[in-house]
Amino acid sequence: MNNSIITEFMILGLSQNPELQGVLFIVFLLIYLVAFLGNLIIVIAIIYNTTLHTPMYVLLLSLAIVDIICTTSIISKMLGTMLTSGRTISYGGCMSQLFFFTWSLGAEMVLFTTMAYDRYVAICFPLHYSTVMNHHMCMALLSIVMAIAVTNSWVHTGLILKLTFCGPNTIDHFFCEIPPLLSLSCSPVKVNEVMVYIADITLAVGDFTLTCISSAFIIAAILHICTAAGKRKAFSTCSSHLIVVSLYYWPVIYTYVRPASSYTFERDKVVAALYTLVTPTLNPVVYSFRNKEMQTGIKKVFSFLKH
């Protein structure tokens, strides 16, 4: 229930310099188009090609959908405020944006771990892969991902909804995120900070640790079974995946592990751009477009569209 005096928030965005607004609009429009179209191509290619209806590609499909929701919930509003003089967002709109962003944040972190487990089974236990990662296991893992993501989002959004906002109503950020909202509240935020800290340690640190452990087992298996050329290719793939995952997890850990009083929003806005904009743009390239089966699937879609 909304007990707040505030009915809308003012979002400052990345910069208040009028001369930069045009440049930032073009840059973020291009980023959004690349992220949106890249992930949309993956969604269409996997749905259209029955040969890609395997656990690995179903997980990639889920990741692409999460990235589309994440970028759309944030950048569409940000681009809209850049085009108009009004930078306001209603209280309900802000809470909706917070819910969908927090949901996508939790879903992406758990999906990264699930995908790492899928690759671990495929490389370390290839003869048992089809038995372990069957359709039922894949659906069970996705159900767990969604359950964790929804629970995480409901808890944090619900706790924010219980806070009172008396003013000021200026969010020094480019979207409604937990840290800047906590700094504006005139209610005690200790419970919110504790829950954010628990979620950060459990989801961000926990999932990142599990992903690194899976990657270590994969690298160890590669050393025993691959040729020199195969090792180079596998190490290149593993390293690129770990770089993208690190670009996601470390900024999230940095942002959410601190109390609200320690946030410095000028710096934190740049950090937030890494996990809200950069990673969803890189995911299609690192996880899908370099994959030969995916390349074949995309070509089939475009050849069908031509006809």
Side-chain angles (χ1 to χ4, degrees), residues 27-81:
V27 168
F28 284 101
L29 177 61
L30 290 174
I31 290 174
Y32 176 63
L33 288 175
V34 170
F36 181 81
L37 294 175
N39 285 294
L40 184 62
I41 288 170
I42 291 170
V43 171
I44 295 170
I46 293 174
I47 292 174
Y48 176 76
N49 292 278
T50 54
T51 55
L52 299 180
H53 293 179
T54 61
M56 173 184 172
Y57 294 105
V58 170
L59 293 175
L60 286 174
L61 169 67
S62 304
L63 182 66
I65 292 172
V66 169
D67 283 338
I68 288 172
I69 293 172
C70 177
T71 51
T72 301
S73 65
I74 294 170
I75 304 183
S76 58
K77 178 61 180 178
M78 184 171 69
L79 293 174
T81 57

Short mmCIF file of all heavy atoms in Angstrom, two decimals, residues 27-81:
data_model
loop_
_atom_site.label_atom_id
_atom_site.label_comp_id
_atom_site.label_asym_id
_atom_site.label_seq_id
_atom_site.Cartn_x
_atom_site.Cartn_y
_atom_site.Cartn_z
N VAL A 27 23.40 7.33 -28.40
CA VAL A 27 24.21 6.22 -27.89
C VAL A 27 23.32 5.13 -27.28
O VAL A 27 23.45 3.94 -27.59
CB VAL A 27 25.24 6.72 -26.85
CG1 VAL A 27 25.89 5.54 -26.12
CG2 VAL A 27 26.32 7.56 -27.52
N PHE A 28 22.38 5.55 -26.42
CA PHE A 28 21.55 4.56 -25.73
C PHE A 28 20.47 3.98 -26.62
O PHE A 28 20.04 2.84 -26.41
CB PHE A 28 20.97 5.16 -24.45
CG PHE A 28 21.98 5.26 -23.36
CD1 PHE A 28 22.61 6.46 -23.07
CD2 PHE A 28 22.36 4.14 -22.64
CE1 PHE A 28 23.57 6.55 -22.08
CE2 PHE A 28 23.32 4.21 -21.65
CZ PHE A 28 23.93 5.42 -21.36
N LEU A 29 20.05 4.73 -27.62
CA LEU A 29 19.13 4.17 -28.60
C LEU A 29 19.82 3.05 -29.39
O LEU A 29 19.23 1.98 -29.61
CB LEU A 29 18.63 5.26 -29.56
CG LEU A 29 17.70 4.78 -30.69
CD1 LEU A 29 16.43 4.16 -30.12
CD2 LEU A 29 17.37 5.93 -31.63
N LEU A 30 21.08 3.29 -29.78
CA LEU A 30 21.84 2.27 -30.50
C LEU A 30 22.08 1.05 -29.63
O LEU A 30 21.95 -0.10 -30.08
CB LEU A 30 23.18 2.85 -31.00
CG LEU A 30 23.09 3.89 -32.12
CD1 LEU A 30 24.47 4.49 -32.40
CD2 LEU A 30 22.54 3.25 -33.39
N ILE A 31 22.45 1.28 -28.35
CA ILE A 31 22.67 0.16 -27.43
C ILE A 31 21.40 -0.66 -27.28
O ILE A 31 21.42 -1.90 -27.31
CB ILE A 31 23.14 0.68 -26.04
CG1 ILE A 31 24.57 1.24 -26.15
CG2 ILE A 31 23.10 -0.44 -25.00
CD1 ILE A 31 25.05 1.91 -24.87
N TYR A 32 20.28 0.04 -27.11
CA TYR A 32 19.00 -0.66 -26.94
C TYR A 32 18.64 -1.46 -28.18
O TYR A 32 18.21 -2.62 -28.08
CB TYR A 32 17.89 0.35 -26.64
CG TYR A 32 16.53 -0.29 -26.55
CD1 TYR A 32 16.25 -1.24 -25.57
CD2 TYR A 32 15.52 0.05 -27.45
CE1 TYR A 32 15.00 -1.84 -25.48
CE2 TYR A 32 14.27 -0.54 -27.37
CZ TYR A 32 14.02 -1.48 -26.39
OH TYR A 32 12.79 -2.07 -26.31
N LEU A 33 18.82 -0.88 -29.37
CA LEU A 33 18.50 -1.58 -30.61
C LEU A 33 19.36 -2.81 -30.80
O LEU A 33 18.88 -3.87 -31.21
CB LEU A 33 18.65 -0.63 -31.81
CG LEU A 33 17.59 0.47 -31.94
CD1 LEU A 33 17.94 1.40 -33.09
CD2 LEU A 33 16.20 -0.13 -32.13
N VAL A 34 20.66 -2.68 -30.49
CA VAL A 34 21.58 -3.83 -30.61
C VAL A 34 21.17 -4.93 -29.63
O VAL A 34 21.09 -6.11 -30.00
CB VAL A 34 23.04 -3.39 -30.35
CG1 VAL A 34 23.95 -4.62 -30.23
CG2 VAL A 34 23.54 -2.49 -31.47
N ALA A 35 20.90 -4.55 -28.38
CA ALA A 35 20.51 -5.54 -27.36
C ALA A 35 19.16 -6.17 -27.69
O ALA A 35 19.01 -7.40 -27.63
CB ALA A 35 20.45 -4.87 -25.98
N PHE A 36 18.18 -5.33 -28.06
CA PHE A 36 16.84 -5.83 -28.33
C PHE A 36 16.82 -6.73 -29.56
O PHE A 36 16.31 -7.86 -29.52
CB PHE A 36 15.87 -4.66 -28.53
CG PHE A 36 14.46 -5.08 -28.80
CD1 PHE A 36 13.62 -5.45 -27.76
CD2 PHE A 36 13.96 -5.13 -30.10
CE1 PHE A 36 12.31 -5.84 -28.00
CE2 PHE A 36 12.66 -5.53 -30.35
CZ PHE A 36 11.83 -5.89 -29.30
N LEU A 37 17.39 -6.25 -30.67
CA LEU A 37 17.37 -7.03 -31.92
C LEU A 37 18.22 -8.28 -31.81
O LEU A 37 17.85 -9.35 -32.31
CB LEU A 37 17.83 -6.16 -33.09
CG LEU A 37 16.90 -4.99 -33.45
CD1 LEU A 37 17.53 -4.13 -34.54
CD2 LEU A 37 15.53 -5.50 -33.89
N GLY A 38 19.38 -8.17 -31.15
CA GLY A 38 20.25 -9.34 -30.98
C GLY A 38 19.56 -10.44 -30.21
O GLY A 38 19.59 -11.61 -30.61
N ASN A 39 18.91 -10.08 -29.11
CA ASN A 39 18.21 -11.08 -28.30
C ASN A 39 16.94 -11.57 -28.99
O ASN A 39 16.57 -12.75 -28.87
CB ASN A 39 17.88 -10.51 -26.92
CG ASN A 39 19.10 -10.43 -26.01
OD1 ASN A 39 19.66 -11.44 -25.62
ND2 ASN A 39 19.52 -9.22 -25.69
N LEU A 40 16.27 -10.69 -29.74
CA LEU A 40 15.06 -11.09 -30.46
C LEU A 40 15.39 -12.11 -31.55
O LEU A 40 14.63 -13.08 -31.76
CB LEU A 40 14.38 -9.87 -31.08
CG LEU A 40 13.05 -10.12 -31.79
CD1 LEU A 40 12.01 -10.65 -30.81
CD2 LEU A 40 12.55 -8.84 -32.46
N ILE A 41 16.51 -11.92 -32.24
CA ILE A 41 16.94 -12.88 -33.27
C ILE A 41 17.16 -14.26 -32.65
O ILE A 41 16.78 -15.28 -33.23
CB ILE A 41 18.23 -12.38 -33.96
CG1 ILE A 41 17.90 -11.19 -34.87
CG2 ILE A 41 18.90 -13.50 -34.78
CD1 ILE A 41 19.13 -10.48 -35.42
N ILE A 42 17.76 -14.28 -31.45
CA ILE A 42 18.00 -15.55 -30.76
C ILE A 42 16.66 -16.22 -30.41
O ILE A 42 16.49 -17.42 -30.62
CB ILE A 42 18.83 -15.31 -29.48
CG1 ILE A 42 20.26 -14.91 -29.86
CG2 ILE A 42 18.85 -16.56 -28.60
CD1 ILE A 42 21.08 -14.43 -28.71
N VAL A 43 15.73 -15.44 -29.90
CA VAL A 43 14.41 -15.98 -29.53
C VAL A 43 13.73 -16.60 -30.75
O VAL A 43 13.24 -17.74 -30.71
CB VAL A 43 13.52 -14.87 -28.92
CG1 VAL A 43 12.07 -15.37 -28.75
CG2 VAL A 43 14.07 -14.42 -27.57
N ILE A 44 13.70 -15.86 -31.87
CA ILE A 44 13.04 -16.35 -33.08
C ILE A 44 13.74 -17.58 -33.63
O ILE A 44 13.10 -18.57 -34.02
CB ILE A 44 12.99 -15.23 -34.16
CG1 ILE A 44 12.10 -14.08 -33.68
CG2 ILE A 44 12.47 -15.78 -35.49
CD1 ILE A 44 12.17 -12.84 -34.55
N ALA A 45 15.08 -17.54 -33.67
CA ALA A 45 15.86 -18.66 -34.23
C ALA A 45 15.63 -19.95 -33.44
O ALA A 45 15.46 -21.02 -34.03
CB ALA A 45 17.35 -18.30 -34.24
N ILE A 46 15.61 -19.85 -32.11
CA ILE A 46 15.44 -21.05 -31.28
C ILE A 46 14.01 -21.58 -31.39
O ILE A 46 13.78 -22.79 -31.49
CB ILE A 46 15.82 -20.75 -29.82
CG1 ILE A 46 17.33 -20.46 -29.72
CG2 ILE A 46 15.46 -21.94 -28.92
CD1 ILE A 46 17.79 -20.03 -28.35
N ILE A 47 13.02 -20.69 -31.37
CA ILE A 47 11.62 -21.13 -31.48
C ILE A 47 11.35 -21.74 -32.85
O ILE A 47 10.67 -22.77 -32.97
CB ILE A 47 10.67 -19.94 -31.21
CG1 ILE A 47 10.76 -19.52 -29.74
CG2 ILE A 47 9.22 -20.32 -31.56
CD1 ILE A 47 9.95 -18.27 -29.40
N TYR A 48 11.90 -21.14 -33.90
CA TYR A 48 11.62 -21.56 -35.28
C TYR A 48 12.30 -22.89 -35.63
O TYR A 48 11.74 -23.71 -36.35
CB TYR A 48 12.09 -20.47 -36.24
CG TYR A 48 11.96 -20.82 -37.71
CD1 TYR A 48 10.71 -20.79 -38.34
CD2 TYR A 48 13.07 -21.19 -38.46
CE1 TYR A 48 10.58 -21.12 -39.68
CE2 TYR A 48 12.95 -21.52 -39.80
CZ TYR A 48 11.71 -21.48 -40.41
OH TYR A 48 11.57 -21.80 -41.73
N ASN A 49 13.51 -23.12 -35.10
CA ASN A 49 14.28 -24.33 -35.44
C ASN A 49 14.09 -25.41 -34.39
O ASN A 49 14.55 -25.27 -33.25
CB ASN A 49 15.77 -23.98 -35.56
CG ASN A 49 16.07 -23.10 -36.75
OD1 ASN A 49 16.20 -23.56 -37.88
ND2 ASN A 49 16.19 -21.80 -36.50
N THR A 50 13.44 -26.50 -34.79
CA THR A 50 13.20 -27.60 -33.84
C THR A 50 14.50 -28.29 -33.41
O THR A 50 14.55 -28.89 -32.34
CB THR A 50 12.26 -28.65 -34.47
OG1 THR A 50 12.80 -29.08 -35.72
CG2 THR A 50 10.87 -28.05 -34.69
N THR A 51 15.55 -28.18 -34.24
CA THR A 51 16.84 -28.79 -33.88
C THR A 51 17.47 -28.09 -32.68
O THR A 51 18.38 -28.63 -32.04
CB THR A 51 17.82 -28.73 -35.07
OG1 THR A 51 17.93 -27.37 -35.51
CG2 THR A 51 17.34 -29.60 -36.22
N LEU A 52 17.01 -26.87 -32.38
CA LEU A 52 17.56 -26.12 -31.25
C LEU A 52 16.70 -26.25 -29.99
O LEU A 52 16.93 -25.55 -29.01
CB LEU A 52 17.68 -24.63 -31.62
CG LEU A 52 18.61 -24.29 -32.79
CD1 LEU A 52 18.63 -22.79 -33.04
CD2 LEU A 52 20.03 -24.80 -32.54
N HIS A 53 15.73 -27.16 -30.02
CA HIS A 53 14.88 -27.37 -28.85
C HIS A 53 15.52 -28.36 -27.88
O HIS A 53 14.99 -29.41 -27.56
CB HIS A 53 13.49 -27.86 -29.27
CG HIS A 53 12.71 -26.83 -30.04
ND1 HIS A 53 11.45 -27.07 -30.54
CD2 HIS A 53 13.02 -25.56 -30.39
CE1 HIS A 53 11.02 -25.97 -31.17
NE2 HIS A 53 11.96 -25.06 -31.09
N THR A 54 16.73 -27.99 -27.44
CA THR A 54 17.48 -28.79 -26.47
C THR A 54 17.70 -27.94 -25.23
O THR A 54 17.56 -26.71 -25.28
CB THR A 54 18.84 -29.21 -27.07
OG1 THR A 54 19.60 -28.03 -27.37
CG2 THR A 54 18.65 -30.03 -28.33
N PRO A 55 18.06 -28.56 -24.08
CA PRO A 55 18.22 -27.79 -22.84
C PRO A 55 19.15 -26.58 -22.96
O PRO A 55 18.82 -25.50 -22.47
CB PRO A 55 18.80 -28.83 -21.88
CG PRO A 55 18.22 -30.12 -22.34
CD PRO A 55 18.18 -30.01 -23.84
N MET A 56 20.27 -26.75 -23.65
CA MET A 56 21.22 -25.65 -23.79
C MET A 56 20.58 -24.44 -24.44
O MET A 56 20.72 -23.29 -23.97
CB MET A 56 22.43 -26.11 -24.62
CG MET A 56 23.40 -24.99 -24.95
SD MET A 56 24.72 -25.58 -26.03
CE MET A 56 25.52 -24.02 -26.44
N TYR A 57 19.85 -24.66 -25.52
CA TYR A 57 19.26 -23.55 -26.26
C TYR A 57 17.98 -23.03 -25.60
O TYR A 57 17.64 -21.85 -25.75
CB TYR A 57 19.00 -23.96 -27.72
CG TYR A 57 20.31 -24.21 -28.45
CD1 TYR A 57 20.73 -25.51 -28.74
CD2 TYR A 57 21.13 -23.15 -28.80
CE1 TYR A 57 21.94 -25.74 -29.38
CE2 TYR A 57 22.34 -23.37 -29.44
CZ TYR A 57 22.75 -24.66 -29.72
OH TYR A 57 23.95 -24.88 -30.34
N VAL A 58 17.29 -23.87 -24.87
CA VAL A 58 16.14 -23.40 -24.10
C VAL A 58 16.61 -22.42 -23.01
O VAL A 58 15.96 -21.40 -22.75
CB VAL A 58 15.37 -24.58 -23.47
CG1 VAL A 58 14.33 -24.09 -22.48
CG2 VAL A 58 14.70 -25.41 -24.56
N LEU A 59 17.76 -22.72 -22.39
CA LEU A 59 18.33 -21.81 -21.40
C LEU A 59 18.78 -20.50 -22.05
O LEU A 59 18.58 -19.41 -21.48
CB LEU A 59 19.51 -22.48 -20.69
CG LEU A 59 19.17 -23.68 -19.79
CD1 LEU A 59 20.43 -24.33 -19.26
CD2 LEU A 59 18.26 -23.27 -18.64
N LEU A 60 19.36 -20.59 -23.25
CA LEU A 60 19.76 -19.39 -23.99
C LEU A 60 18.53 -18.57 -24.39
O LEU A 60 18.57 -17.33 -24.36
CB LEU A 60 20.56 -19.76 -25.25
CG LEU A 60 21.99 -20.24 -25.03
CD1 LEU A 60 22.59 -20.70 -26.36
CD2 LEU A 60 22.84 -19.12 -24.43
N LEU A 61 17.46 -19.25 -24.75
CA LEU A 61 16.20 -18.59 -25.07
C LEU A 61 15.69 -17.82 -23.85
O LEU A 61 15.28 -16.65 -23.97
CB LEU A 61 15.16 -19.62 -25.51
CG LEU A 61 13.71 -19.16 -25.65
CD1 LEU A 61 13.57 -18.18 -26.80
CD2 LEU A 61 12.78 -20.36 -25.87
N SER A 62 15.74 -18.45 -22.69
CA SER A 62 15.29 -17.81 -21.45
C SER A 62 16.15 -16.58 -21.14
O SER A 62 15.62 -15.53 -20.74
CB SER A 62 15.36 -18.79 -20.29
OG SER A 62 14.60 -19.95 -20.57
N LEU A 63 17.46 -16.71 -21.32
CA LEU A 63 18.37 -15.58 -21.07
C LEU A 63 18.06 -14.41 -21.99
O LEU A 63 18.04 -13.25 -21.56
CB LEU A 63 19.82 -16.02 -21.25
CG LEU A 63 20.89 -14.95 -20.97
CD1 LEU A 63 20.91 -14.57 -19.49
CD2 LEU A 63 22.28 -15.45 -21.40
N ALA A 64 17.79 -14.71 -23.26
CA ALA A 64 17.47 -13.66 -24.24
C ALA A 64 16.18 -12.94 -23.86
O ALA A 64 16.09 -11.71 -23.95
CB ALA A 64 17.36 -14.26 -25.63
N ILE A 65 15.17 -13.68 -23.40
CA ILE A 65 13.89 -13.07 -22.99
C ILE A 65 14.09 -12.18 -21.77
O ILE A 65 13.56 -11.06 -21.70
CB ILE A 65 12.84 -14.16 -22.70
CG1 ILE A 65 12.45 -14.89 -24.00
CG2 ILE A 65 11.60 -13.56 -22.05
CD1 ILE A 65 11.57 -16.12 -23.80
N VAL A 66 14.88 -12.66 -20.81
CA VAL A 66 15.17 -11.87 -19.61
C VAL A 66 15.87 -10.57 -19.99
O VAL A 66 15.55 -9.48 -19.47
CB VAL A 66 16.02 -12.68 -18.61
CG1 VAL A 66 16.56 -11.79 -17.50
CG2 VAL A 66 15.21 -13.81 -18.01
N ASP A 67 16.84 -10.64 -20.91
CA ASP A 67 17.58 -9.45 -21.34
C ASP A 67 16.67 -8.45 -22.05
O ASP A 67 16.82 -7.23 -21.90
CB ASP A 67 18.75 -9.83 -22.25
CG ASP A 67 19.94 -10.39 -21.47
OD1 ASP A 67 20.03 -10.09 -20.27
OD2 ASP A 67 20.76 -11.12 -22.05
N ILE A 68 15.72 -8.95 -22.85
CA ILE A 68 14.78 -8.06 -23.54
C ILE A 68 13.91 -7.32 -22.52
O ILE A 68 13.70 -6.10 -22.62
CB ILE A 68 13.89 -8.86 -24.52
CG1 ILE A 68 14.71 -9.31 -25.74
CG2 ILE A 68 12.69 -8.02 -24.98
CD1 ILE A 68 13.97 -10.27 -26.66
N ILE A 69 13.42 -8.05 -21.51
CA ILE A 69 12.59 -7.43 -20.48
C ILE A 69 13.39 -6.41 -19.67
O ILE A 69 12.92 -5.30 -19.38
CB ILE A 69 12.00 -8.51 -19.55
CG1 ILE A 69 11.00 -9.38 -20.33
CG2 ILE A 69 11.31 -7.88 -18.33
CD1 ILE A 69 10.51 -10.59 -19.57
N CYS A 70 14.64 -6.76 -19.33
CA CYS A 70 15.50 -5.87 -18.54
C CYS A 70 15.75 -4.55 -19.27
O CYS A 70 15.52 -3.47 -18.73
CB CYS A 70 16.82 -6.57 -18.23
SG CYS A 70 18.00 -5.53 -17.32
N THR A 71 16.22 -4.64 -20.51
CA THR A 71 16.57 -3.42 -21.25
C THR A 71 15.34 -2.60 -21.60
O THR A 71 15.36 -1.37 -21.53
CB THR A 71 17.34 -3.77 -22.54
OG1 THR A 71 16.61 -4.77 -23.28
CG2 THR A 71 18.72 -4.31 -22.23
N THR A 72 14.24 -3.27 -21.95
CA THR A 72 13.02 -2.55 -22.32
C THR A 72 12.43 -1.81 -21.13
O THR A 72 11.99 -0.66 -21.26
CB THR A 72 11.97 -3.52 -22.90
OG1 THR A 72 12.51 -4.17 -24.05
CG2 THR A 72 10.71 -2.77 -23.31
N SER A 73 12.43 -2.43 -19.95
CA SER A 73 11.85 -1.79 -18.76
C SER A 73 12.64 -0.56 -18.34
O SER A 73 12.08 0.35 -17.71
CB SER A 73 11.79 -2.79 -17.60
OG SER A 73 13.08 -3.18 -17.19
N ILE A 74 13.92 -0.51 -18.68
CA ILE A 74 14.77 0.61 -18.25
C ILE A 74 14.97 1.64 -19.36
O ILE A 74 14.68 2.83 -19.20
CB ILE A 74 16.15 0.10 -17.77
CG1 ILE A 74 15.98 -0.74 -16.50
CG2 ILE A 74 17.10 1.26 -17.51
CD1 ILE A 74 17.22 -1.48 -16.09
N ILE A 75 15.46 1.18 -20.54
CA ILE A 75 15.89 2.13 -21.57
C ILE A 75 14.72 2.81 -22.25
O ILE A 75 14.82 3.98 -22.64
CB ILE A 75 16.80 1.44 -22.61
CG1 ILE A 75 17.99 0.77 -21.92
CG2 ILE A 75 17.31 2.44 -23.63
CD1 ILE A 75 18.99 0.13 -22.87
N SER A 76 13.60 2.12 -22.43
CA SER A 76 12.46 2.75 -23.11
C SER A 76 12.01 4.00 -22.37
O SER A 76 11.74 5.04 -22.98
CB SER A 76 11.31 1.75 -23.24
OG SER A 76 10.91 1.27 -21.96
N LYS A 77 11.92 3.93 -21.04
CA LYS A 77 11.54 5.09 -20.23
C LYS A 77 12.63 6.16 -20.27
O LYS A 77 12.33 7.36 -20.37
CB LYS A 77 11.26 4.66 -18.80
CG LYS A 77 10.88 5.80 -17.85
CD LYS A 77 9.62 6.51 -18.29
CE LYS A 77 9.24 7.64 -17.35
NZ LYS A 77 8.04 8.37 -17.79
N MET A 78 13.89 5.72 -20.21
CA MET A 78 15.00 6.67 -20.22
C MET A 78 15.05 7.45 -21.53
O MET A 78 15.24 8.67 -21.54
CB MET A 78 16.32 5.92 -20.01
CG MET A 78 17.53 6.84 -19.91
SD MET A 78 19.02 5.96 -19.41
CE MET A 78 19.33 4.96 -20.85
N LEU A 79 14.83 6.78 -22.65
CA LEU A 79 14.81 7.44 -23.95
C LEU A 79 13.63 8.41 -24.04
O LEU A 79 13.75 9.50 -24.62
CB LEU A 79 14.73 6.41 -25.07
CG LEU A 79 15.96 5.52 -25.25
CD1 LEU A 79 15.69 4.45 -26.31
CD2 LEU A 79 17.20 6.33 -25.64
N GLY A 80 12.50 8.01 -23.46
CA GLY A 80 11.32 8.88 -23.46
C GLY A 80 11.56 10.18 -22.70
O GLY A 80 11.15 11.25 -23.15
N THR A 81 12.23 10.09 -21.55
CA THR A 81 12.51 11.29 -20.77
C THR A 81 13.54 12.18 -21.46
O THR A 81 13.52 13.40 -21.29
CB THR A 81 13.04 10.92 -19.36
OG1 THR A 81 14.21 10.09 -19.49
CG2 THR A 81 12.00 10.18 -18.57
#
